[in-house]
Amino acid sequence: MGHDDLTWLIGGPQGGGINAAAEGFAKAATRAGYRVIANIEYHSNIMGEHSYYRVRVGQDGRRNVSERVHVLVALDDETLVGERHAAFPGFKGHVQEVVPGGAVVFDGNDDPGEHGDDVLLCPVPYLELLEQALKGSSREGQAARLKVMTNVVAVGASLALMDFDLPRYQDSLRAEFGGRRADLGELNAKAAALGYEYVRERFADGFAFRLPRVAPPKGRAPLFIRGPQAAAIGKLKAGLGFQSYYPISPATDENVYLEAHQRDQGLVVVQTEDEISAINMAVGAAHAGVRSSTSTSGPGLSLMVEGLGFAAMTEAAGPVLVLWSRGGPSTGLPTRQEQADLRFALQPGHGEFPHLLVAPGDVHEIVRDAYEAFNWADRYQMPVLVLVDKALGTTYVTTDDLGLDRLPPIDRGARFHESANGNAKEDYLRYDFSEGNVTPRSVPGQAGGIYWSTTDEHDPRGHITEDAENRIRMQEKRMGKLDLALREIPADRFLTLHGPKNADITIVGWGSTKGPILDALEILAREDKVKANFLQVRIMRPFPADAVAAILRAAKKTVLVECNYTGQLGLLIREQTGIALDQSIVKYDGRPFSEEELLDGLRHVIAEGPGRLMVSHRLG
Amino acid sequence: MATVLTPRDYKSDVHINWCPGCGDFGIVNAIQMALAELKLPPHRVAVFSGIGCSGKTPHYIHAYGYHTLHGRVLPVATGAKLSNKDLTVLAVGGDGDGYGIGSGYFVNSGRRNVDITYIVFNNSVYGLTKGQGSPTLKKGLRTKSMPEAAIQDGINPLALAVSSGYTFVARGFALDPRGLAGLIAAGVRHRGSSFIDVLQTCPTYNDLYTAEWYNHTQAGGPRLYRLAETGYDGKVKDPADADEVVAKKVQAIAKSYEWGEKIPVGVYYEVDLPTYEDALADRNPRYGQEALVDTDFADRDVDPLLDALR
Ligand code: SF4
């Protein structure tokens, strides 16, 4: 018998190898047959600031992380007790998050600080054990230089407590170091074993939170994946040919991942001088007939909006823009979670122009939406925004399948085909409004397809005109494409009502809160006997007003859940349907909802009646 | 289509609404003459522009035409060219467009050496907003359209182009369409980023740099002279010879400061270097074999990417 839902947290200084340590364990756990969710929180800093990884391991596949830590692995003092020297200390260390019966693995030289009586303290001489591991190898005496390997000692030590299969972890270490560095893989495996033995002999006996042994997956191991890879894979499946970008957190991960696959996937990735250049290159590529894209976050979108208006005005078939939203405003919280760019993404620029906006809620939806965004861009000849909030960018999950086999076919929309007589001068009208809203498009290089385009208002041939009648028809042609999309795109792509059709409470949300809300529905049903369902809105523009209104009108009580200050989806719903949601739970501390924060919030508003509640447990 | 192409084949049927006597007419004529000389079928050519009087240019040319945003013409043209390396891509814009709001793109496009030709209509004023001083107007000068003399100094676009990495740097004159056509044709033939700064008269707002000013110095005789006629040679013979490259750049930059009684036109600097497209083809041979727009990605295999995540 084991404990089927463990939270393991590792904390330490940024740049100290914490990501590799945590991902090594989490990936080993996935390969061992557990379901894992792992989230990193870090500062906008390269070296030194506190960062930590929360890894939740079990068999059920939880969709959110928990604050209740069973095993804490501290690589430094700050992880234990928080910042000792801060002018305005907020974060007080992770030791306080350790549950009764839980354990803390830390360097024997550190002071674990205040902790509950029932917490098992496991001081481990990290450096000494590392020196021992290096003994007799070609790297003997280099412990100080290889100090990052103490992470592996610490992880190994924690595995003994949980009774995790050590060889699994050692395999994943060996896999990290191939080729000429294979000896390092072996040394790491040894360091892990020494940490493991040290704790097994002294502390592990009788520790309550042991993982049950599970059968490893048959056949291929599941995927261990987070948002940036999902977005990139969706785009590649769609036939992405051109991606331009300017480095910015948290969009960089997707961009660099694509850049690393330029050779094997045959796409062009251009790092530009700024976001304005990035969007405009992507628009140029879209006009040239290539599926093109860029990815950025809020500050980048602030610069890109001009390019979106350009794309929409000239009816380019794209680009697709993935907006990795982070804490704003201005530079804000560059590496932290927030859902505060929804309203900006709904109106990204001056004037009235059409674009599509979709907000996926997990890695599967990211793949699907990033893929289908290109179909919509081609079909409706407009830019498409895919809004993904930062929590999905840094949260790894275990999944068996991304649904690549179930993607709809590629649809390049209406194309102009060369007429038999070829190059008849100027008989093709790129912006013809006589045959519906979407005109078949040619691409430069096509004989007979010559056209002009301009960011000025233009006539069907694409030349500038300020004629009133033309203006009316052109604006109706462009804006009418949104109505077309609303009619053509299947209803179930716009929104999902999760849970029972009839419920006492209807939670409304979007994006990364999907997983946390789905977990909360189950817990409320089980522990509180509360029957709740969840309206997840996914396509925000064109907005499925009728469908949303029908669900909300039938709801007994509605609660909005969002990671922002103003409740932006609530405002959108009110604007589009006239319906004001009864209650709201908002969060703007830069962290995603933990399981406990969301449950606290829901229980509170359910009990208290109408109102707006801000929740934050002030996590590190 | 075996017919002989003439400049007429590159004319669109749109009414040109520049002011009478504007130097822009000469530049459009020169572009059409150059395209005819190069025998490029119109549908293989794409002309991109920024915003301003010069921004209207694509509308007057019978070829794929993209009138984009103020200052952003080079990124748009770059995205299109990299997507279809077989297209002939021209970018045009004004001096405010290219050296002011677009200066970041002007500099960084030089770093890339994408095979496009960038023609700047340099008239030292913002025409379409009624004659404010532009980034090439020197400090202390005042056109009739300005309430005060320029308080900021002018930049030297040729020197900036050379130091930014353009591999073909030239200056032409709008009122000499034939000479300019030759420069444009040479710029298009050049593999890599070609930059041509065109001295352009704006009779409506710029009463300093007029046709009269360009054609008659105080001493009499034209102000402009052709570099080629003086034995000046801006072409790097051996691109691998770092000393020669630096010497030719220094020579070009020094020449670019010649402004006053005598102003040189012609090719200031030229070097054959691998293009951005060449570098992409090195990374991915398929890129060199077919235009990206013609590449079918339906056979794309992402399984190795998935396996790396297991
Ligand atoms: S304002 Fe000057 S540049 Fe513009 S069209 Fe008139 S003359 Fe030409």
Short mmCIF file of all heavy atoms in Angstrom, two decimals, chain A residues 103-131:
data_model
loop_
_atom_site.label_atom_id
_atom_site.label_comp_id
_atom_site.label_asym_id
_atom_site.label_seq_id
_atom_site.Cartn_x
_atom_site.Cartn_y
_atom_site.Cartn_z
N ALA A 103 8.27 15.22 5.06
CA ALA A 103 9.71 15.24 5.33
C ALA A 103 10.39 16.38 4.60
O ALA A 103 9.90 16.86 3.58
CB ALA A 103 10.34 13.91 4.90
N VAL A 104 11.53 16.81 5.18
CA VAL A 104 12.35 17.83 4.54
C VAL A 104 13.75 17.27 4.35
O VAL A 104 14.39 16.85 5.32
CB VAL A 104 12.44 19.10 5.42
CG1 VAL A 104 13.22 20.19 4.68
CG2 VAL A 104 11.07 19.59 5.82
N VAL A 105 14.21 17.27 3.11
CA VAL A 105 15.58 16.89 2.82
C VAL A 105 16.35 18.18 2.61
O VAL A 105 15.95 19.02 1.79
CB VAL A 105 15.65 16.01 1.54
CG1 VAL A 105 17.09 15.77 1.14
CG2 VAL A 105 14.90 14.71 1.76
N PHE A 106 17.42 18.38 3.38
CA PHE A 106 18.16 19.64 3.26
C PHE A 106 19.62 19.41 3.57
O PHE A 106 20.02 18.36 4.08
CB PHE A 106 17.55 20.70 4.18
CG PHE A 106 17.56 20.35 5.65
CD1 PHE A 106 18.46 20.95 6.52
CD2 PHE A 106 16.66 19.42 6.17
CE1 PHE A 106 18.46 20.63 7.86
CE2 PHE A 106 16.67 19.09 7.51
CZ PHE A 106 17.57 19.70 8.37
N ASP A 107 20.41 20.40 3.24
CA ASP A 107 21.84 20.32 3.49
C ASP A 107 22.09 20.38 4.98
O ASP A 107 21.56 21.26 5.67
CB ASP A 107 22.54 21.49 2.78
CG ASP A 107 24.06 21.35 2.79
OD1 ASP A 107 24.60 20.83 3.80
OD2 ASP A 107 24.69 21.75 1.81
N GLY A 108 22.90 19.46 5.48
CA GLY A 108 23.18 19.38 6.91
C GLY A 108 23.66 20.69 7.51
O GLY A 108 23.53 20.92 8.72
N ASN A 109 24.20 21.59 6.69
CA ASN A 109 24.70 22.85 7.23
C ASN A 109 23.62 23.91 7.39
O ASN A 109 23.87 24.95 7.98
CB ASN A 109 25.78 23.43 6.31
CG ASN A 109 26.97 22.48 6.22
OD1 ASN A 109 27.40 21.93 7.23
ND2 ASN A 109 27.46 22.26 5.02
N ASP A 110 22.44 23.68 6.83
CA ASP A 110 21.39 24.69 6.88
C ASP A 110 20.50 24.50 8.11
O ASP A 110 20.41 23.41 8.67
CB ASP A 110 20.51 24.62 5.61
CG ASP A 110 21.24 25.20 4.41
OD1 ASP A 110 22.14 26.03 4.60
OD2 ASP A 110 20.89 24.80 3.28
N ASP A 111 19.83 25.59 8.46
CA ASP A 111 18.90 25.55 9.59
C ASP A 111 17.49 25.45 9.01
O ASP A 111 17.08 26.32 8.25
CB ASP A 111 19.08 26.85 10.39
CG ASP A 111 17.93 27.08 11.36
OD1 ASP A 111 17.15 26.13 11.59
OD2 ASP A 111 17.83 28.22 11.87
N PRO A 112 16.78 24.39 9.33
CA PRO A 112 15.47 24.21 8.69
C PRO A 112 14.42 25.21 9.14
O PRO A 112 13.37 25.31 8.54
CB PRO A 112 15.08 22.79 9.08
CG PRO A 112 15.82 22.51 10.34
CD PRO A 112 17.10 23.28 10.26
N GLY A 113 14.65 25.95 10.18
CA GLY A 113 13.68 26.96 10.62
C GLY A 113 12.49 26.34 11.32
O GLY A 113 12.50 25.16 11.70
N GLU A 114 11.44 27.13 11.48
CA GLU A 114 10.25 26.66 12.18
C GLU A 114 9.51 25.62 11.36
O GLU A 114 9.33 25.79 10.17
CB GLU A 114 9.29 27.83 12.42
CG GLU A 114 9.58 28.57 13.71
CD GLU A 114 8.66 29.77 13.83
OE1 GLU A 114 7.43 29.58 13.71
OE2 GLU A 114 9.20 30.89 14.01
N HIS A 115 9.06 24.58 12.01
CA HIS A 115 8.34 23.53 11.29
C HIS A 115 7.40 22.83 12.25
O HIS A 115 7.57 22.91 13.48
CB HIS A 115 9.33 22.53 10.69
CG HIS A 115 10.27 21.95 11.71
ND1 HIS A 115 9.96 20.88 12.48
CD2 HIS A 115 11.51 22.35 12.10
CE1 HIS A 115 10.97 20.61 13.29
NE2 HIS A 115 11.92 21.49 13.09
N GLY A 116 6.44 22.14 11.69
CA GLY A 116 5.49 21.41 12.53
C GLY A 116 6.20 20.28 13.27
O GLY A 116 7.25 19.79 12.86
N ASP A 117 5.62 19.85 14.40
CA ASP A 117 6.24 18.79 15.22
C ASP A 117 6.39 17.50 14.44
O ASP A 117 7.32 16.74 14.64
CB ASP A 117 5.34 18.48 16.43
CG ASP A 117 5.32 19.67 17.39
OD1 ASP A 117 6.23 20.50 17.27
OD2 ASP A 117 4.38 19.75 18.20
N ASP A 118 5.43 17.30 13.59
CA ASP A 118 5.32 16.00 12.95
C ASP A 118 6.06 15.95 11.61
O ASP A 118 5.71 15.16 10.75
CB ASP A 118 3.83 15.69 12.76
CG ASP A 118 3.61 14.19 12.68
OD1 ASP A 118 4.57 13.44 12.96
OD2 ASP A 118 2.49 13.79 12.32
N VAL A 119 7.04 16.84 11.43
CA VAL A 119 7.77 16.85 10.15
C VAL A 119 9.10 16.15 10.34
O VAL A 119 9.84 16.42 11.29
CB VAL A 119 7.97 18.30 9.67
CG1 VAL A 119 8.95 18.34 8.50
CG2 VAL A 119 6.63 18.89 9.26
N LEU A 120 9.40 15.24 9.44
CA LEU A 120 10.64 14.47 9.52
C LEU A 120 11.78 15.28 8.90
O LEU A 120 11.73 15.64 7.73
CB LEU A 120 10.45 13.16 8.75
CG LEU A 120 11.67 12.24 8.63
CD1 LEU A 120 12.09 11.70 10.00
CD2 LEU A 120 11.37 11.10 7.67
N LEU A 121 12.80 15.56 9.72
CA LEU A 121 13.93 16.34 9.21
C LEU A 121 15.03 15.38 8.74
O LEU A 121 15.44 14.50 9.49
CB LEU A 121 14.50 17.24 10.31
CG LEU A 121 13.55 18.34 10.81
CD1 LEU A 121 14.25 19.17 11.88
CD2 LEU A 121 13.09 19.24 9.67
N CYS A 122 15.47 15.58 7.53
CA CYS A 122 16.51 14.71 6.98
C CYS A 122 17.71 15.53 6.51
O CYS A 122 17.82 15.84 5.32
CB CYS A 122 15.99 13.89 5.80
SG CYS A 122 14.42 13.07 6.09
N PRO A 123 18.58 15.93 7.42
CA PRO A 123 19.79 16.63 6.98
C PRO A 123 20.70 15.66 6.24
O PRO A 123 20.92 14.54 6.70
CB PRO A 123 20.41 17.10 8.30
CG PRO A 123 19.85 16.22 9.36
CD PRO A 123 18.53 15.71 8.89
N VAL A 124 21.19 16.10 5.10
CA VAL A 124 22.02 15.23 4.27
C VAL A 124 23.29 16.01 3.91
O VAL A 124 23.20 17.15 3.47
CB VAL A 124 21.27 14.82 2.97
CG1 VAL A 124 22.18 14.02 2.05
CG2 VAL A 124 20.01 14.04 3.30
N PRO A 125 24.47 15.42 4.10
CA PRO A 125 25.71 16.13 3.75
C PRO A 125 25.94 16.09 2.24
O PRO A 125 26.67 15.24 1.74
CB PRO A 125 26.78 15.33 4.51
CG PRO A 125 26.21 13.96 4.66
CD PRO A 125 24.71 14.08 4.70
N TYR A 126 25.28 17.01 1.53
CA TYR A 126 25.27 16.98 0.07
C TYR A 126 26.69 16.90 -0.52
O TYR A 126 27.00 16.05 -1.35
CB TYR A 126 24.62 18.26 -0.50
CG TYR A 126 23.13 18.41 -0.29
CD1 TYR A 126 22.53 19.65 -0.41
CD2 TYR A 126 22.32 17.31 0.00
CE1 TYR A 126 21.16 19.83 -0.24
CE2 TYR A 126 20.95 17.47 0.19
CZ TYR A 126 20.37 18.73 0.05
OH TYR A 126 19.02 18.91 0.23
N LEU A 127 27.54 17.84 -0.09
CA LEU A 127 28.85 17.96 -0.73
C LEU A 127 29.73 16.75 -0.42
O LEU A 127 30.43 16.23 -1.29
CB LEU A 127 29.52 19.26 -0.28
CG LEU A 127 30.60 19.78 -1.23
CD1 LEU A 127 30.03 20.07 -2.61
CD2 LEU A 127 31.23 21.06 -0.66
N GLU A 128 29.65 16.29 0.82
CA GLU A 128 30.43 15.12 1.22
C GLU A 128 30.07 13.90 0.37
O GLU A 128 30.93 13.17 -0.10
CB GLU A 128 30.10 14.79 2.68
CG GLU A 128 31.29 14.71 3.61
CD GLU A 128 30.79 14.65 5.03
OE1 GLU A 128 30.41 13.54 5.46
OE2 GLU A 128 30.71 15.72 5.69
N LEU A 129 28.78 13.70 0.20
CA LEU A 129 28.34 12.54 -0.59
C LEU A 129 28.77 12.70 -2.04
O LEU A 129 29.13 11.72 -2.70
CB LEU A 129 26.82 12.37 -0.49
CG LEU A 129 26.32 11.95 0.91
CD1 LEU A 129 24.80 11.89 0.94
CD2 LEU A 129 26.90 10.60 1.32
N LEU A 130 28.75 13.93 -2.54
CA LEU A 130 29.19 14.14 -3.91
C LEU A 130 30.68 13.82 -4.04
O LEU A 130 31.10 13.16 -5.00
CB LEU A 130 28.91 15.59 -4.34
CG LEU A 130 29.45 15.98 -5.72
CD1 LEU A 130 28.88 15.08 -6.80
CD2 LEU A 130 29.12 17.44 -6.04
N GLU A 131 31.46 14.28 -3.05
CA GLU A 131 32.90 13.98 -3.09
C GLU A 131 33.13 12.47 -3.13
O GLU A 131 33.97 11.97 -3.88
CB GLU A 131 33.59 14.58 -1.85
CG GLU A 131 33.88 16.06 -2.02
CD GLU A 131 34.18 16.77 -0.70
OE1 GLU A 131 34.16 16.11 0.37
OE2 GLU A 131 34.41 17.99 -0.75
#
